[in-house]
């Protein structure tokens, strides 16, 4: 079977020329790449702002006793929820989420406004649980893969809870999956003191295959040609690398791919091999994430578990053909370039069906509000025209004969 590498883009190969024999290989730390803004990928992040705000408020209400909250209490949490308008205005702008009703905070207190989920939101929550159940094998494999990439096959439960939204895990994933899959997971430590850890019980070789390795395998089956696993590298439009960086990148890409599931305890932290392994782990983490992007501070919480160096975030600019480092919203976000076409996510996770349904729910409410406001404006216009017509038909007073 013929051996070839089909995953390195033409643009990179064309720009990489063989160095002279006398050229010295530069150290990783001395290589600098200028950051360049990618407007389309920034737009992809910006488009999610309204969705995330609505999801945040829904989560806040659902965590309340009885899943109801007084409008006054919600208003006090505006700053924490990052609401840009008054709480009541937010409810009115998103009519598909909550309905306002009157109740008493205490038995003999005055009636005040409360909010509760609409029947449509409750129907969505039921559908959300159905999608989670339908994709449980995917969730189990993701959780196993996260543990399998760590040096000790264990992660703090608190850290996993913190990233559950990034990877599409349900709220109760820890307790539910640990009980249901004791062959994979075990909780240890002291949960009541916030010191619990999730351990991997057994290694599943079917899960120990990265996205890059799977892609190479699929391509080989399709073409009948053995494909060498490697990163899909494509520099963004208008982006150029200096000569020394092009040469370093060429040499780096020619090195063997190191699976994120391999034991690398023997590798030096400052070696090119460890750099390749770090990029492989980050690539796999972003591939497992729901939106193929994760805030850099979130990834930084796992430096010890995944053996990242303190300067691991430099890989996002040094490997600009693989990743994009967005600064949108004042937060550094690592984005997997190959998962996007312009501002559209093309590598879609099955669990994104939940987000799609939530967006449709929001859009239904936005359209209803738009139609209602239009009807109100039309009615005001009709009333004004009727009033003017009535006045014009009134008999005029005769001042004198």
């Amino acid at each position: 079977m013929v051996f070839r590498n089909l995953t390195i883009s033409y643009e990179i190969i064309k720009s990489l020329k063989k160095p002279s024999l006398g050229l010295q290989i530069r150290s990783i730390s001395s290589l600098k790449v200028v950051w360049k803004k990618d407007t389309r990928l920034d737009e992809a992040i910006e488009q999610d702002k309204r969705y995330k705000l609505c999801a945040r408020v829904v989560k806040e209400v659902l965590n309340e006793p009885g899943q109801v909250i007084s409008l006054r209490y919600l208003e006090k949490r505006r700053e924490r929820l990052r609401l840009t308008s008054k709480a009541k205005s937010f409810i009115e702008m998103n009519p598909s989420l909550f309905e306002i009703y009157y109740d008493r905070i205490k038995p003999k207190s005055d009636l005040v406004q409360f909010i509760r989920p609409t029947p449509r939101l409750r129907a969505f929550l039921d559908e959300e649980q159905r999608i989670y159940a339908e994709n449980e094998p995917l969730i189990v494999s993701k959780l196993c893969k996260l543990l399998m990439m760590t040096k000790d096959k264990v992660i703090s439960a608190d850290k996993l809870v913190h990233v559950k939204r990034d990877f599409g895990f349900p709220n109760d994933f820890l307790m539910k999956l640990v009980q249901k899959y004791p062959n994979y997971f075990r909780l240890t430590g002291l949960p009541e003191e916030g010191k619990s850890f999730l351990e991997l019980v057994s290694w599943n070789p079917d899960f120990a295959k990265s996205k890059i390795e799977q892609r190479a395998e699929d391509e080989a089956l399709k073409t009948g040609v053995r494909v060498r696993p490697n990163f899909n590298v494509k520099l963004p439009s208008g982006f150029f690398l200096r000569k020394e960086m092009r040469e370093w990148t060429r040499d780096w890409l020619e090195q063997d791919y190191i699976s994120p599931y391999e034991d690398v305890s023997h590798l030096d932290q400052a070696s090119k091999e460890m750099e390749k392994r770090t990029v492989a782990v980050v690539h796999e983490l972003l591939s497992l994430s729901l939106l193929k992007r994760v805030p850099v501070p979130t990834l930084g919480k796992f430096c010890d578990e995944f053996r990242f160096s303190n300067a691991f975030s430099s890989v996002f600019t040094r490997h600009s053909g693989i990743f994009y480092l967005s600064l949108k919203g004042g937060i550094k976000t690592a984005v997997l370039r190959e998962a996007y076409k312009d501002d559209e996510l093309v590598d879609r996770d099955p669990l994104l069906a939940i987000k799609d349904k939530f967006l449709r729910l929001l859009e239904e409410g936005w359209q209803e509000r738009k139609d209602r406001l239009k009807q109100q404006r039309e009615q005001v216009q009709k009333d004004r025209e009727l009033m003017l017509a009535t006045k014009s038909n009134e008999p005029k007073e005769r001042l004198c004969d």
Side-chain angles (χ1 to χ4, degrees):
M1 186 179 282
V2 181
F3 183 94
R4 65 177 179 176
N5 182 354
L6 299 180
T7 58
I8 305 177
S9 73
Y10 174 71
E11 289 85 349
I12 285 289
I13 295 175
K14 186 173 65 173
S15 66
L16 301 181
K17 297 180 179 179
K18 290 289 183 181
S20 63
L21 295 175
L23 182 70
Q24 294 183 343
I25 297 175
R26 301 185 63 174
S27 66
I28 295 174
S29 60
S30 68
L31 295 167
K32 305 295 182 183
V33 179
V34 177
W35 176 83
K36 181 177 174 60
K37 182 175 182 176
D38 191 318
T39 306
R40 303 310 297 271
L41 289 179
D42 279 345
E43 286 175 3
I45 295 174
E46 182 69 18
Q47 289 168 5
D48 277 344
K49 281 181 63 176
R50 194 171 181 182
Y51 154 77
K52 286 187 173 181
L53 175 61
C54 292
R56 200 158 52 239
V57 176
V58 167
K59 178 185 175 184
E60 186 77 13
V61 176
L62 295 180
N63 285 338
E64 289 294 309
Q67 298 184 335
V68 300
I69 186 174
S70 76
L71 207 52
R72 184 175 64 189
Y73 287 169
L74 187 64
E75 178 65 27
K76 290 180 179 179
R77 302 177 190 179
R78 266 180 64 190
E79 186 175 350
R80 178 163 62 80
L81 292 171
R82 300 194 290 277
L83 284 174
T84 56
S85 61
K86 289 185 176 293
K88 188 173 183 179
S89 297
F90 172 84
I91 303 302
E92 292 171 345
M93 287 188 291
N94 299 279
S96 59
L97 297 181
F98 304 106
E99 56 189 18
I100 297 175
Y101 69 102
Y102 286 86
D103 202 350
R104 291 180 171 84
I105 296 176
K106 295 180 180 179
K108 295 184 180 180
S109 62
D110 293 335
L111 289 172
V112 295
Q113 289 183 321
F114 277 75
I115 64 168
R116 61 190 172 201
T118 62
R120 282 186 292 179
L121 177 56
R122 293 201 178 278
F124 159 76
L125 295 172
D126 291 339
E127 184 67 8
E128 180 183 47
Q129 291 306 310
R130 185 195 66 77
I131 295 172
Y132 278 135
E134 189 178 89
N135 289 278
E136 189 169 281
L138 172 63
I139 296 170
V140 170
S141 71
K142 281 189 180 188
L143 195 52
C144 282
K145 282 172 173 284
L146 289 178
L147 292 167
M148 290 165 69
M149 283 188 284
T150 63
K151 63 179 183 179
D152 298 318
K153 312 302 177 279
V154 59
I155 300 179
S156 161
D158 285 345
K159 289 184 180 181
L160 286 171
V161 169
H162 182 74
V163 300
K164 64 183 178 182
R165 299 298 176 195
D166 294 293
F167 293 95
F169 298 155
N171 291 329
D172 59 350
F173 77 101
L174 271 180
M175 297 309 299
K176 185 176 181 180
L177 297 184
V178 169
Q179 292 176 1
K180 193 170 180 179
Y181 298 93
N183 55 317
Y184 285 140
F185 311 116
R186 177 171 56 235
L187 267 178
T188 61
L190 302 171
E192 63 276 4
E193 296 181 11
K195 298 178 180 179
S196 58
F197 300 86
L198 186 66
E199 291 184 2
L200 183 72
V201 174
S202 61
W203 182 279
N204 186 336
D206 293 336
F207 296 156
K209 188 179 294 182
S210 71
K211 180 70 176 288
I212 287 175
E213 291 171 310
Q214 186 62 58
R215 182 171 62 205
E217 192 174 289
D218 293 343
E219 199 169 348
L221 289 172
K222 183 179 178 180
T223 62
V225 178
R226 185 183 174 194
V227 178
R228 174 177 172 237
N230 213 332
F231 299 98
N232 187 357
V233 180
K234 185 177 181 181
L235 291 175
S237 177
F239 190 94
F240 300 97
L241 296 176
R242 294 200 307 265
K243 180 182 177 181
E244 62 268 26
M245 190 65 210
R246 293 200 309 270
E247 292 166 348
W248 182 89
T249 301
R250 182 211 57 234
D251 293 340
W252 185 84
L253 286 170
E254 288 178 352
Q255 289 181 342
D256 288 339
Y257 173 78
I258 299 176
S259 171
Y261 302 103
E262 283 185 31
D263 178 15
V264 292
S265 56
H266 62 286
L267 292 180
D268 182 83
Q269 193 71 35
S271 66
K272 271 191 174 184
E273 291 79 13
M274 198 60 185
E275 168 94 351
K276 191 121 187 181
R277 192 262 177 182
T278 297
V279 175
V281 172
V282 173
H283 185 284
E284 186 73 353
L285 288 172
L286 295 181
S287 296
L288 292 173
S289 69
L290 203 58
L291 295 170
K292 314 309 175 196
R293 62 177 192 255
V294 178
V296 174
T298 299
L299 294 173
K301 294 179 183 293
F302 297 90
C303 281
D304 184 56
E305 288 86 348
F306 295 121
R307 295 193 67 196
F308 292 156
S309 69
N310 292 333
F312 87 98
S313 61
S314 62
V315 302
F316 302 121
T317 50
R318 190 156 53 243
H319 299 279
S320 300
I322 302 172
F323 309 116
Y324 170 59
L325 184 65
S326 173
L327 306 180
K328 198 70 180 175
I331 300 174
K332 291 183 178 180
T333 302
V335 184
L336 187 60
R337 284 194 182 277
E338 67 185 40
Y340 285 82
K341 183 178 180 181
D342 295 329
D343 61 345
E344 183 182 355
L345 179 63
V346 291
D347 184 5
R348 290 180 55 81
D349 191 297
L351 288 164
L352 278 175
I354 294 173
K355 179 187 175 185
D356 293 341
K357 289 183 180 295
F358 188 64
L359 281 173
R360 281 198 291 272
L361 175 66
L362 292 175
E363 287 166 357
E364 286 176 9
W366 297 339
Q367 188 61 48
E368 289 171 9
R369 181 172 181 269
K370 183 179 177 181
D371 293 342
R372 184 169 62 252
L373 291 175
K374 181 181 178 182
Q375 290 175 359
Q376 290 174 355
R377 287 194 297 269
E378 290 174 349
Q379 187 60 49
V380 168
Q381 183 62 27
K382 287 179 181 178
D383 292 344
R384 184 182 293 114
E385 291 173 355
L386 180 60
M387 182 177 65
L388 291 174
T390 302
K391 283 187 175 182
S392 63
N393 291 331
E394 287 178 355
K396 296 180 179 179
E397 292 183 9
R398 296 178 64 183
L399 296 177
C400 58
D401 292 331

